[in-house]
Amino acid sequence: MENYTYNSFILQLEGIKLPNESVYPLYYFFLISFIFIMVMNVGILLLICIDKNLHQPMYLLFCSLLVTDIIGVLLILPQILLDMQRPPSERLITYHECVAQAFTCHMFGTTSHTVLMSMAFDRYVAICNPLRYAAIMTNKMVIKLTVSAWGVAFVLVGILLGLTMRLNRCRTMIMSLYCDNASLFKLSCESVFINHVYGLTFTVVALSSSIGSIVLTYTKITVVCLTSNSKSLNSKALKTCSTHLIVYLIMFLSGMIVIILHRFPQYSDYRKLCGVIMVIIPGSLNPVIYGLQSKEMQKFLFKIFKGKKGGLKCPLQIREVKFKFKDVPAVRREQHKLAGQRVALVRKE
């Protein structure tokens, strides 16, 4: 009985405290965001798979970002939507489900940063060393970058959750909308000093490496653009790099806000909302900023739209052909009439 009390396998999610008039607007906002994210991310993922012109290193790396957004949204938003319809006493989750959700949540955040680092390297090679781009960014290099992005995140997050799972639990209330590492180790009454040290080290290493690589990469790109007289190169660099930086800043700021607010329990409701927004905003903007602004994707969508539009004109073309066939007898009568006139002139001569 004592083991069950201190290590309960049934946990309760606190949820967010909202006035009754705010529950339904927030619920529909989350629902619409979920549908929009899934449609956009899955749609662009299918476009990249279908169109062979999009089988380029940049878009193949972008697929990893789409997959992380899809996984993060699928494992977080549906449960929040269900819990908003339930009373607080029925917002239950098993411990193993909670650990899996926390692992996925941190994999989502960490992989997003590592994939953006890989995409920054791709942009650096494309702009600073375009003549060797095809030789450097081969299929093997894309596979290496993708495996490294996911592998590093898997190891770092695995250690993070492993340190938390070793702790005994004396509480059952998850002080969040969904499970994450901080909410899990707060269930323990033991010392969590090691968790704090590794968590801080994990955050510093992940953020410093991503910030360092982004700053170094775009500094070199800026130097190349300033020393180059090519207007096309400068416009291409400005377009690709600005969109990349926007996505990265959104990811960085939303993640930092959640990390900081974890240190201030009095702002728990703001932290919960920021935690959901951290999933919604990147998942909504990534396909728009990276996908729809791409000329290759615009051309492919234009071809599809043009093909459908052309298909609607087929019946009209058939009618025009039928109309011409109806005039054939009249044309023949005119030809016979002219031939008869020629015969009459020959006879007179």
Side-chain angles (χ1 to χ4, degrees), residues 89-109:
S89 60
E90 295 181 8
R91 297 170 186 169
L92 305 177
I93 186 172
T94 65
Y95 176 71
H96 296 297
E97 290 174 347
C98 192
V99 171
Q101 191 179 58
F103 181 83
T104 306
C105 171
H106 289 283
M107 274 291 292
F108 160 75

Side-chain angles (χ1 to χ4, degrees), residues 70-90:
I70 292 170
I71 293 174
V73 168
L74 273 177
L75 291 178
I76 292 175
L77 278 183
Q79 182 179 347
I80 293 175
L81 291 171
L82 289 174
D83 287 341
M84 290 181 72
Q85 301 176 15
R86 298 169 178 167
S89 60
E90 295 181 8

Side-chain angles (χ1 to χ4, degrees), residues 269-288:
D269 287 335
Y270 294 106
R271 173 180 55 79
K272 295 170 188 175
L273 285 176
C274 288
V276 181
I277 291 172
M278 183 184 72
V279 178
I280 291 176
I281 292 182
S284 302
L285 293 183
N286 284 344
V288 175

Side-chain angles (χ1 to χ4, degrees), residues 88 155 327:
V155 172
D327 291 341

Side-chain angles (χ1 to χ4, degrees), residues 23-277:
V23 173
Y24 286 104
L26 189 64
Y27 176 84
Y28 287 116
F29 170 72
F30 287 163
L31 179 61
I32 294 170
S33 300
F34 173 73
I35 296 171
F36 177 79
I37 292 170
M38 292 302 299
V39 170
M40 291 296 293
N41 283 272
V42 173
I44 292 181
L45 195 62
L46 290 176
L47 285 180
I48 295 173
C49 294
I50 293 170
D51 189 5
K52 293 183 179 180
N53 295 323
L54 298 177
H55 293 177
Q56 303 173 21
M58 182 180 72
Y59 296 108
L60 295 177
L61 292 173
F62 179 53
C63 286
S64 294
L65 200 60
L66 295 174
V67 171
T68 58
D69 289 337
I70 292 170
I71 293 174
V73 168
L74 273 177
L75 291 178
I76 292 175
L77 278 183
Q79 182 179 347
I80 293 175
L81 291 171
L82 289 174
D83 287 341
M84 290 181 72
Q85 301 176 15
R86 298 169 178 167
S89 60
E90 295 181 8
R91 297 170 186 169
L92 305 177
I93 186 172
T94 65
Y95 176 71
H96 296 297
E97 290 174 347
C98 192
V99 171
Q101 191 179 58
F103 181 83
T104 306
C105 171
H106 289 283
M107 274 291 292
F108 160 75
T110 309
T111 307
S112 298
H113 282 279
T114 53
V115 170
L116 287 174
M117 290 165 62
S118 301
M119 295 177 70
F121 174 74
D122 172 76
R123 292 300 84 204
Y124 166 74
V125 176
I127 296 171
C128 298
N129 203 353
L131 297 178
R132 296 194 59 209
Y133 180 78
I136 296 173
M137 294 303 298
T138 59
N139 291 334
K140 288 184 179 180
M141 178 59 73
V142 173
I143 293 172
K144 287 180 182 178
L145 290 173
T146 304
V147 172
S148 298
W150 286 85
V152 170
F154 183 86
V155 172
L156 293 175
V157 175
I159 297 173
L160 184 74
L161 268 298
L163 291 173
T164 300
M165 291 178 68
R166 68 184 176 84
L167 299 171
N168 290 316
R169 303 177 302 281
C170 60
R171 302 181 185 92
T172 57
M173 179 66 73
I174 298 290
M175 309 298 288
S176 182
L177 287 171
Y178 55 88
C179 297
D180 57 10
N181 182 62
S183 301
L184 276 173
F185 71 65
K186 286 179 181 178
L187 299 178
S188 177
C189 297
E190 299 178 4
S191 174
V192 292
F193 176 75
I194 296 176
N195 298 74
H196 283 296
V197 170
Y198 180 79
L200 182 62
T201 306
F202 170 80
T203 304
V204 170
V205 169
L207 293 180
S208 60
S209 58
S210 63
I211 292 172
S213 62
I214 295 292
V215 170
L216 180 64
T217 300
Y218 287 107
T219 300
K220 291 186 176 182
I221 291 174
T222 304
V223 171
V224 170
C225 293
L226 291 175
T227 56
S228 173
N229 296 323
S230 175
K231 292 183 179 180
S232 61
L233 176 65
N234 294 338
S235 62
K236 179 183 178 183
L238 179 63
K239 185 177 181 180
T240 56
C241 297
S242 60
T243 55
H244 194 158
L245 286 173
I246 289 171
V247 173
Y248 180 78
L249 287 174
I250 291 169
M251 286 290 303
F252 176 77
L253 291 175
S254 57
M256 283 300 298
I257 290 172
V258 174
I259 292 171
I260 292 171
L261 289 178
H262 257 296
R263 272 65 183 172
F264 299 94
Q266 63 270 28
Y267 300 118
S268 61
D269 287 335
Y270 294 106
R271 173 180 55 79
K272 295 170 188 175
L273 285 176
C274 288
V276 181
I277 291 172

